[in-house]
Amino acid sequence: MSAPLLWILIPIGIGALTFFVARDRLLIITGGAASLLLAGIALIVPIDEALRLGPFSLKIASSASLFGRSLVLNPTHAPFLVIVYGMCALWFFGAEAAGVARRLVPFGLIITGLLVASIAVQPFLFAALLIEIAVLVAIPMISPLNQTPGRGLVRFLIYQTLGMPFILFAGWLLAGVEASPGDLALTIQSTVMLGLGFAFLLAVFPLYNWIPQVMDESSPYIVGFLLWSLPTIASIYGMGFLDRYAWLRTSAQLLAGLRATGLLMVVTGGLWAAFQRHAGRLMAYTAVAETGFILIALGLNPATSTDITFLLIPARGLGIAIWSLSLSILKIKNNDEPLRFTSMQGLARSYPLASAGLILASLSTAGFPLLAGFPPRIALWEGLGQQSLGSAVWFLVGLLGLLIGAARMLAVLVMNKEETAWVSRETWVQRGMLGVGLIGLFILGLFPQALRPILEELPLMFQRLGR
Amino acid sequence: MLANIISWIAVVLLLVISTGLLLSRDWRWDIGFLAVQYIGVFWLVAQHWPPGMAAVKLVTGWMAAAALGMTLSNTSVRKERVEQFWPQGRAFRLFMVGAAAVLAASATPRIETSVPGIGLPVIAGGVLLVGTGLLHLGTDSRLERVIIGLLTIMAGFEIIYAAIESSILVAALLSVVNLGLGLVGAYLLTASTPEKELE
């Protein structure tokens, strides 16, 4: 048995098989349990080491060959696999509450397998192709056959497809820069290519206009899954470039560019969020700001940037999951109509947990104390402040915008006549999933060290970055 | 020498096909042009890859075109609202193709200087297709046009990338991407067709 077979091919196979499962509950149990099992194996069973089970000996080899190249999942990838498949289990178990199990579980497993393959493929440059294939698989997940595809979906397809050639060319040029480091023209060309590729891939300003549109057009839970998985893997892929090429890692201009771009995303995302009157779009701009946080983290001092980036990932994943689940529940109540503030007035009285999920997830993104987003925001702010005071102020402006967006949504949700009674119209499954998620938000906020054993090993994926 | 002449003929073929694709208003012509485009792509890729491997591009391209064609044949031409902020006339499109061709002609020697060994016709063909593909995306928002635009950009990129990367894995993954684009296009076209029409 090899690690790529276990964490790439098996999930893709299970995903393909679940297309034939008729019952939603069985689908969720299969997908969720499979993801949980894969996370558990990554946590317990060491890769490339013999594990004795009585008379039997089990060894998971780290690599597998594919068309003359290899897929490699080292022991250092284990924490990454735990987080990815652990989060997937959470998403899949929540799919029933969001009413999208039939689309999310099969496609989600295949997409996750492909994204893990993109981290495992050697040379790592080819990951761009696997990410593109994952994007193509995501299209039928976002847009069901009975729904006319909207502009956001088409833009998503265009932007993600355009990103791939830039990254592949940049990788080739980077090899040339390595061979002749003094060639300034080549260095500039490769950096511009790489920047454009990741700008498309990570939906960097101003290429993020598809996010709010897709949020309008499709199920928030499914879009949330994509907004969690794609930027997370693309960021780790980007970190691979920084790890591989010393001149990129040590380039003050590149790091400043990353910080400036991230800041632009946080500020624009925050400002748009502050003036939104649509809960789905509000979430979209928050996701934009979240990507901005990752870019800022990557642009900080290389010694600490990796730790802060990985600290952002669990909080981001949990926040987006709760937010999109809450939105999905409210959207089902709203007969799949867009969630404009005018149609959400007073919903806190009939959907208290879903409303709490929306508010707390948005507050967490804004870095509100006691919530999961607070510790990484503080670390980020401190790191940014050490680089430039002006940047730290702009960062605060972005957070303020997100906070205003959250406060406005809170005002809309509780806006109702006094005599309206409080009832909980969520189903038990919805209550259970939201409850678990909300507790998780507080645990990560109050005890950020809870995930430390996994988070502190994540940077070991890279040979030089963060050392 | 002969191969070089044929390569330039392939570039001219790509120019004619690209112009046809941009001017055509009938999906049958579109699919036909797309299929012929991949013959030019095959020839230019074969300058750097063994013909057997280059044939993968041809077969995959034809499969993607077939998937789109079969879907379009089952749906009538949709009366979609076309964005009117760009001029839509044929003269304008012809002018834009001319601009793309001039751009390709001026950029080709520069690229050849910075990356020697790829070959002028290969670069010219690749840049031309990327340019016209971007024109498709910039001037038309219809789904079939968007997919054809993306396939054209991919074809242009693959012509140049084949000169610098000959890995079988890359060839396989790029084929999956092309085929995937065709299938996704077919899926989205089906999804955007009213159920009654499909019955």
Side-chain angles (χ1 to χ4, degrees):
Chain A
M1 165 95 54
S2 69
L5 173 74
L6 186 61
W7 284 292
I8 296 170
L9 289 182
I10 288 182
I12 291 175
I14 294 174
L17 285 176
T18 49
F19 279 114
F20 302 102
V21 177
R23 288 172 55 202
D24 278 9
R25 183 64 60 87
L26 185 61
L27 196 67
I28 285 155
I29 291 171
T30 310
S35 301
L36 215 50
L37 188 67
L38 289 169
I41 294 172
L43 189 67
I44 296 165
V45 183
I47 299 171
D48 254 351
E49 274 179 43
L51 183 73
R52 287 196 162 276
L53 294 167
F56 302 104
S57 175
L58 176 73
K59 184 181 174 186
I60 300 177
S62 60
S63 70
S65 181
L66 183 70
F67 290 117
R69 302 292 169 131
S70 37
L71 293 168
V72 182
L73 286 171
N74 285 319
T76 54
H77 284 106
F80 161 76
L81 294 168
V82 172
I83 288 194
V84 167
Y85 282 107
M87 280 303 296
C88 269
L90 187 73
W91 279 99
F92 295 155
F93 283 126
E96 187 185 5
V100 290
R102 189 136 298 280
R103 279 193 281 157
L104 184 72
V105 176
F107 288 115
L109 274 167
I110 295 172
I111 289 168
T112 308
L114 286 166
L115 292 178
V116 170
S118 73
I119 296 298
V121 70
Q122 296 291 339
F124 80 108
L125 191 62
F126 298 164
L129 287 159
L130 288 157
I131 293 175
E132 170 64 13
I133 296 171
V135 166
L136 293 174
V137 173
I139 297 290
M141 180 175 81
I142 301 172
S143 176
L145 206 51
N146 57 0
Q147 181 187 314
T148 305
R151 278 186 192 179
L153 182 77
V154 177
R155 280 190 190 172
F156 166 69
L157 177 64
I158 293 172
Y159 288 175
Q160 298 292 316
T161 306
L162 288 182
M164 180 197 65
F166 281 113
I167 292 176
L168 288 178
F169 269 134
W172 174 71
L173 289 171
L174 285 169
V177 174
E178 247 189 341
S180 51
D183 192 338
L184 190 63
L186 194 62
T187 309
I188 293 172
Q189 281 169 9
S190 55
T191 312
V192 169
M193 284 270 184
L194 194 65
L196 279 172
F198 275 97
F200 280 115
L201 206 59
L202 284 169
V204 166
F205 178 87
L207 302 169
Y208 58 58
N209 53 8
W210 60 267
I211 300 179
Q213 288 179 326
V214 171
M215 195 60 89
D216 257 359
E217 296 161 7
S218 187
S219 155
Y221 199 69
I222 284 185
V223 181
F225 177 77
L226 273 185
L227 291 179
W228 162 70
S229 58
L230 281 179
T232 303
I233 298 296
S235 307
I236 293 174
Y237 180 39
M239 290 165 85
F241 276 91
L242 294 176
D243 183 53
R244 176 77 179 73
Y245 301 103
W247 66 271
L248 271 181
R249 196 169 57 245
T250 53
S251 163
Q253 289 91 341
L254 181 82
L255 296 183
L258 280 172
R259 286 197 304 272
T261 313
L263 212 50
L264 194 61
M265 290 184 72
V266 171
V267 172
T268 54
L271 289 180
W272 280 115
F275 296 106
Q276 275 309 309
R277 291 179 179 182
H278 186 295
R281 283 174 173 262
L282 184 56
M283 180 186 157
Y285 288 114
T286 306
V288 167
E290 288 274 13
T291 307
F293 292 137
I294 291 180
L295 290 177
I296 293 173
L298 288 175
L300 292 179
N301 177 6
T304 54
S305 67
T306 320
D307 291 335
I308 299 179
T309 307
F310 284 128
L311 189 63
L312 282 165
I313 287 175
R316 177 179 188 277
L318 192 60
I320 291 180
I322 295 171
W323 193 317
S324 51
L325 178 59
S326 307
L327 269 185
S328 292
I329 292 167
L330 296 183
K331 199 169 180 180
I332 292 170
K333 179 257 158 200
N334 218 23
N335 296 324
D336 267 357
E337 289 298 312
L339 284 169
R340 294 199 175 82
F341 278 1
T342 45
S343 63
M344 291 174 69
Q345 290 177 3
L347 277 181
R349 298 216 177 207
S350 46
Y351 289 86
L353 265 176
S355 303
L358 275 186
I359 299 304
L360 290 175
S362 55
L363 286 175
S364 171
T365 309
F368 202 75
L370 306 182
L371 295 170
F374 180 65
R377 302 295 181 277
I378 284 290
L380 206 55
W381 200 25
E382 188 187 345
L384 202 57
Q386 285 168 0
Q387 302 282 340
S388 146
L389 198 61
S391 301
V393 172
W394 278 111
F395 183 81
L396 199 62
V397 170
L399 287 186
L400 202 63
L402 295 174
L403 200 63
I404 291 171
R408 288 183 66 222
M409 192 159 61
L410 173 66
V412 168
L413 286 167
V414 297
M415 186 186 291
N416 213 344
K417 289 173 188 166
E418 260 318 303
E419 59 269 23
T420 310
W422 285 87
V423 282
S424 173
R425 294 214 173 117
E426 293 101 345
T427 64
W428 280 107
V429 178
Q430 290 170 342
R431 280 178 214 156
M433 289 310 300
L434 283 171
V436 169
L438 291 175
I439 290 168
L441 267 189
F442 279 107
I443 288 177
L444 285 184
L446 291 168
F447 312 105
Q449 68 274 25
L451 283 178
R452 197 177 160 195
I454 292 175
L455 290 182
E456 69 182 2
E457 285 185 19
L458 272 171
L460 298 177
M461 280 167 70
F462 304 109
Q463 291 175 336
R464 299 166 204 92
L465 197 64
R467 303 288 169 90
Chain B
M1 185 61 188
L2 182 67
N4 204 34
I5 292 171
I6 300 177
S7 294
W8 280 113
I9 293 172
V11 175
V12 174
L13 174 77
L14 288 179
L15 178 62
V16 173
I17 292 301
S18 303
T19 312
L21 262 175
L22 266 169
L23 296 183
S24 145
R25 305 265 166 126
D26 186 337
W27 67 266
R28 294 169 192 82
W29 281 103
D30 288 349
I31 300 302
F33 283 135
L34 196 62
V36 179
Q37 177 176 284
Y38 283 103
I39 296 174
V41 172
F42 160 73
W43 181 261
L44 293 176
V45 170
Q47 301 306 303
H48 293 277
W49 282 10
M53 226 166 113
V56 172
K57 306 274 182 211
L58 182 69
V59 174
T60 314
W62 280 356
M63 284 168 78
L68 280 178
M70 282 164 70
T71 310
L72 285 166
S73 70
N74 285 322
T75 57
S76 61
V77 179
R78 287 164 298 120
K79 299 279 185 290
E80 248 179 43
R81 191 173 60 84
V82 178
E83 287 170 12
Q84 291 297 329
F85 57 89
W86 276 108
Q88 297 289 317
R90 290 192 174 190
F92 170 73
R93 285 164 191 257
L94 207 57
F95 170 75
M96 292 303 285
V97 177
V102 169
L103 181 78
S106 62
T108 300
R110 285 176 63 111
I111 297 175
E112 172 68 10
T113 311
S114 27
V115 195
I118 294 183
L120 285 173
V122 171
I123 298 172
V127 174
L128 182 71
L129 285 188
V130 171
T132 50
L134 286 173
L135 279 182
H136 274 286
L137 296 182
T139 55
D140 211 325
S141 59
R142 281 174 299 167
L143 211 44
E144 58 270 29
R145 286 298 182 150
V146 167
I147 298 296
I148 288 173
L150 287 175
L151 283 171
T152 306
I153 291 172
M154 284 297 298
F157 159 72
E158 285 177 58
I159 289 173
I160 300 173
Y161 200 62
I164 56 177
E165 180 63 64
S166 57
S167 155
I168 300 173
L169 178 62
V170 171
L173 291 176
L174 280 171
S175 292
V176 174
V177 169
N178 269 311
L179 198 56
L181 273 174
L183 292 174
V184 160
Y187 174 87
L188 292 178
L189 282 167
T190 309
S192 60
T193 308
E195 259 177 59
K196 275 182 186 171
E197 196 178 304
L198 285 174
E199 285 162 11

